[in-house]
Amino acid sequence: MEDFRPTHVVPQDGLPAWEAPDVSRPTEPLDPLLPVQLLDRRGDWGEVLCANGWSAWVDGRLLVAVPRDPPQAGQPMARTADPRPLLARIQESLDRFRRASEELVEGRIDGETFRRRTQGLRAGVVVDGESVWLFDAEHERWVYTDGTRLTTYAARSGPGRPGGAPASDGAPVSGAEPEATRLVNPPAHPRTRPGDV
């Protein structure tokens, strides 16, 4: 869908889904890290749209919000770091998956070998022109990059780290992250729609 803009991401454990806001009408669950667009809210229920046009109802309270817009020029960044090492790690994960997938499709390895080779791989990327959001699996966080530096948008750890204390990557923390951007359950891997690979 050309106009699809994700507003949320499914948490690490995935989400049960229903055809309507009615627990008697279950459908395929949503996979971890699935980018979705929230269409409607009815109490705790949320109707979400996937990139391929498939929609379902979920517990909207469990969706993880992603930013609609990148930081405005001149605003302080929560963390500053060179994005190239993270981009290289994501590229390596994708390359490893692609190589294993090619070997599986060509019959050079079996399903068990494929699972072994891809076990532990975690990557997430949303590219929208010059706006890029990356999942940093090493630090369990979503970050935005403007091409020169990173901003943390969602992290596994909640409040508790003293202001100004260094994160595990050594990047300074300039202040508490907004509550809406913290990931309680970080994502693992995306799929466009339940049942798709």
Side-chain angles (χ1 to χ4, degrees):
M1 297 180 59
E2 281 185 30
D3 57 350
F4 178 78
R5 288 185 62 89
T7 60
H8 293 76
V9 175
V10 173
Q12 182 178 17
D13 297 329
L15 282 179
W18 293 266
E19 294 176 4
D22 177 351
V23 294
S24 67
R25 299 180 59 189
T27 186
E28 293 293 318
L30 300 180
D31 285 332
L33 193 88
L34 180 68
V36 295
Q37 183 178 2
L38 184 62
L39 300 176
D40 191 14
R41 290 296 295 255
R42 294 187 193 170
D44 293 341
W45 291 96
E47 184 183 17
V48 295
L49 177 69
C50 301
N52 65 355
W54 189 80
S55 65
W57 289 85
V58 299
D59 184 341
R61 300 170 299 175
L62 302 178
L63 293 170
V64 179
V66 297
R68 289 189 176 207
D69 299 304
Q72 293 179 0
Q75 288 189 338
M77 306 289 270
R79 299 173 193 259
T80 301
D82 185 342
R84 291 173 295 181
L86 175 56
L87 289 166
R89 287 195 303 271
I90 290 172
Q91 181 66 49
E92 174 57 27
S93 292
L94 292 173
D95 286 346
R96 284 178 54 197
F97 185 88
R98 180 187 48 79
R99 288 190 300 267
S101 179
E102 287 174 354
E103 290 184 23
L104 179 65
V105 169
E106 293 168 2
R108 292 186 282 150
I109 60 173
D110 60 14
E112 182 58 34
T113 303
F114 176 76
R115 280 187 288 281
R116 262 196 332 272
R117 289 192 185 172
T118 58
Q119 186 174 10
L121 289 180
R122 298 176 73 201
V125 180
V126 176
V127 178
D128 186 10
E130 66 183 18
S131 300
V132 178
W133 288 267
L134 308 169
F135 180 62
D136 180 356
E138 183 178 348
H139 299 108
E140 299 284 345
R141 64 184 180 176
W142 275 97
V143 297
Y144 167 80
T145 180
D146 62 1
T148 61
R149 53 190 177 165
L150 300 175
T151 301
T152 297
Y153 269 109
R156 182 185 182 108
S157 60
R161 184 185 301 129
S168 58
D169 62 353
V173 179
S174 63
E177 295 160 1
E179 183 65 35
T181 64
R182 287 194 196 99
L183 270 174
V184 176
N185 295 309
H189 65 279
R191 272 200 325 206
T192 304
R193 173 185 169 183
D196 293 349
V197 175

